[in-house]
Amino acid sequence: NGLIPFDYINHCLEELAKSPIELESLLPWNVKLG
């Protein structure tokens, strides 16, 4: 998916810390980092 693993995991942890969200939005093919 062209994601850098460190950035992807960091993004996921930040989003999970904010509030409970749908986990599907954190799947690699749904995350747009850049």
Side-chain angles (χ1 to χ4, degrees):
N1 295 326
L3 296 175
I4 299 170
F6 177 81
D7 292 340
Y8 170 68
I9 292 171
N10 193 36
H11 171 75
C12 289
L13 293 175
E14 287 175 356
E15 292 299 314
L16 289 171
K18 289 180 186 176
S19 64
I21 58 172
E22 285 189 37
L23 292 179
E24 187 156 327
S25 68
L26 294 177
L27 292 175
W29 46 87
N30 292 333
V31 172
K32 303 288 187 260
L33 298 176

